[in-house]
Amino acid sequence: MSDVRPIGVFDSGVGGLTVLRELRSQCPGERLLYLADLAHFPYGPRYQHEVREFALRIIEHLVAEDVKLVVIACNTATAAALHAARERFDVPIVGVIAPGAQAAVETTRNGRIAVISTEGTFASQQYLHAIKEANPGVGVLPRAAPHLVDIVEAGQADSPAAEVALVEVLEEVTGWGADTLVLGCTHYPLLRPALARVAPGLAVVDSAETTAARVRRILAVNRLEAGAAGGPPPRLLVTGLPERFIDAAALLFGEAPPVPEVLDLWGTGVAGAAGIPRLGMVAS
Ligand code: DGL
């Protein structure tokens, strides 16, 4: 029997689309529902308890939309909310930190792994623990690089400005002798072309691919797969003004994202979003 309920995926902005893209490619038969919490972007500089409350409310909404699995496609929200979410909801919930940590441990040859992320993920130290859980024998250098998020959101991921910023961030990483760099923020995979130019010898790991592979396995083990036939295009919900998101997503992925449906999840209204389909709140 196939399970045609959607998979719910969320992030604060465009970054989680890197995970969505991988899910589309690795789980082509699945219906996907992507929620971008634009009202609260960025999550990175916020208090953990605040991000946790946002994430729990979003998951509550996704559950009310009858999703069969939730992907927290944001490292900051995974660090702040994964455990609390699993305690509160029965739906299977997948974060992005453990898959990235596992991939890093499998990639390093010299046992030195650097991680770049937002301030929130850095402060949580969850990458350090996830990597050392996978192999306590490796060294980990976690560093916050929040300005890289702004560069990606501005559609500048593959630009000279991105290269300059990366050179600065990587100085300490290469000085320390890391052979592997974990992109501990779902925005960062979009920096890969610039990274390859400024640090061609560094092995780069991101969790988009490994998270999608994990979702595929979890669906199979729990008999939740929709079937092999191609799923419909993803549905896109946004909690804030989508113009910047649409521009950044189109620029970064080379295709226009689905038409967003504005969701007033926080009861604050979404000013200026006239003309964009508006959702009624799903009771939860
Ligand atoms: N996508 C978020 C993450 O992976 C970073 C963006 C933000 O600060 O909201 O941590």
Side-chain angles (χ1 to χ4, degrees), residues 11-13 15-16 40-45 73-77 96 117-119 121 149 153 184-187:
D11 180 32
S12 55
H40 296 127
F41 175 85
Y43 280 178
C74 170
N75 291 266
T76 312
V96 285
S117 70
T118 64
E119 309 95 305
T121 304
V149 172
E153 283 281 331
C185 170
T186 50
H187 281 63

